[in-house]
Amino acid sequence: MAACRIAYAALLVAALAFSQTYSGHLSSVFLITILVLPIVSLLMAVIVRLALKLEFDCSTVIVERGTEVKLQLTARNMFILPCSAMYITASMPDVEDQRDAKLIFSLGLLQKKQLNFIYPSNFRGEYRITIDKVYIYDILKIFKLRKTFDLKKHVLVVPKLYDTAGSSEYSLSTNDETEMQTSDFSGGERSFVRKYNDGDDIRKIHWKLSSKQEDYVVWQEVKNRFRDAIVFCDVSEYFDDPVKNAQYIDTVLEIGLAACMHNVKQDRDCVFAYYNKEYSRLHCLPVTSRGEFFLAVKTAAGIKGYKGEPKFSEEAKKLFANNENTPQTVLVTSDSSERLIQLSKDISALSDFSMILAGKTSKEIEESIKAMKNVRFASLERDRLDSDISEVLSKIY
């Protein structure tokens, strides 16, 4: 645009010089034309700005991590004047940076055009794609006008699903989502809810959640639901680099969800557990069906990492004390320090204990853990989950 302005300024100077050197009707007409052209061009751009309409699907989209997020935007020129050039920017922030997609296009008279934006989803989380500005150039590209919009699309990037059985029944397209969990769970408490069925006691209706869901949901007792297995995902941040922390927490959650899926397919009652930073407590979700599994997947998209280490051994004592049968505990972590040894001793005294390490640790630590009774140990590299996850789970279970 700067080059166009310089070119116009040079043309205007030439027109002035021409009118002074060759004073006459032709030189005056030429000078007036040069002076009027930007005004006409600006007026056309103003009209196009008023006539520009954008159509955008603002509904929430759910994708697995690593899947491209595709966004379609429809731009429509509602006037008979064309627009030679405009550009639009859509932003989607993530852990690494603010990912901006920029498209430059033009619209003819009464033309409609489909615009496609594509974003990588390298990290799990809840994101928002925002389109708030469109910049419109006049025909001479001397002026740039801005038109503001308030278009937002929510994107839920869930952990990548590793199906150890190699079947497609656990794709995100499932409709088996009739059961919902709340943010509270412990053995014997009514912290699990599902849709109301004929014959249910109306005293068990969760009125507050029913008003939000626009359908009746009822409390359900969950005592001893995790009698077979509990999968604990350690979402502590052990690295100074926030990107590295995000990568390893994503890996830990993906391994944990793969273990839950494995349990469900083996008809074992299972619980997906993690330390909830917001409430400073252990948060457990029952996973005994496909519906519960996918709700755990969606919940995992919003789990935040934290600094520090909760006393999981103490939390485990509280959980196991209220259950008739002690479940098999699987800890998935990226912590490769000596703390793993003491934690293994604490948990193995309460339950059959297995540990899956995302990454590598020293040989001495690994041998110390493997030498303990009732303890199984396995490690996985982040870039080998696809090929090794089935083998590791077969060793654990």
Side-chain angles (χ1 to χ4, degrees), residues 231-235 252-253 255-257 272-275 330-332:
V231 179
F232 179 76
C233 294
D234 178 10
V235 291
V252 165
L253 291 171
I255 295 173
L257 289 169
F272 176 79
Y274 65 95
Y275 186 76
V330 176
L331 171 67
V332 187

Side-chain angles (χ1 to χ4, degrees), residues 8-23 27-28 30-32 34-35:
Y8 174 75
L11 183 62
L12 181 59
V13 170
L16 285 170
F18 179 67
S19 64
Q20 293 298 322
T21 304
Y22 302 98
S23 56
S27 61
S28 299
F30 180 65
L31 177 60
I32 293 171
I34 297 300
L35 290 171

Side-chain angles (χ1 to χ4, degrees), residues 180-235:
M180 298 162 286
Q181 288 92 8
T182 64
S183 60
D184 185 26
F185 177 88
S186 64
E189 295 182 2
R190 55 170 198 173
S191 59
F192 177 72
V193 295
R194 57 172 173 79
K195 285 189 176 182
Y196 177 85
N197 295 322
D198 291 339
D200 285 333
D201 189 342
I202 61 173
R203 291 175 296 179
K204 293 184 178 181
I205 294 178
H206 189 316
W207 295 105
K208 185 176 180 180
L209 188 58
S210 296
S211 64
K212 294 180 180 179
Q213 297 289 334
E214 297 182 353
D215 197 1
Y216 290 117
V217 294
V218 294
W219 290 107
Q220 179 170 310
E221 299 294 337
V222 291
K223 185 175 182 179
N224 295 329
R225 290 208 54 186
F226 55 99
R227 63 180 182 272
D228 290 336
I230 179 170
V231 179
F232 179 76
C233 294
D234 178 10
V235 291

Side-chain angles (χ1 to χ4, degrees), residues 328-329 344 347-355 369-377:
Q328 178 181 353
T329 303
S344 299
I347 305 303
S348 61
L350 301 169
S351 165
D352 285 342
F353 181 60
S354 302
M355 180 183 296
I369 296 175
K370 287 182 176 180
M372 298 180 188
K373 294 181 179 179
N374 299 326
V375 177
R376 299 181 182 88
F377 178 87

Side-chain angles (χ1 to χ4, degrees), residues 64-65 158-164 170-172 254 257-258 261 293-294 297 386:
E64 286 186 50
R65 185 187 65 81
V158 301
K160 187 175 180 180
L161 303 184
Y162 293 93
D163 191 346
T164 57
Y170 279 75
S171 66
L172 284 175
E254 287 167 3
L257 289 169
M261 183 190 298
F293 173 77
F294 285 108
V297 171
D386 281 306

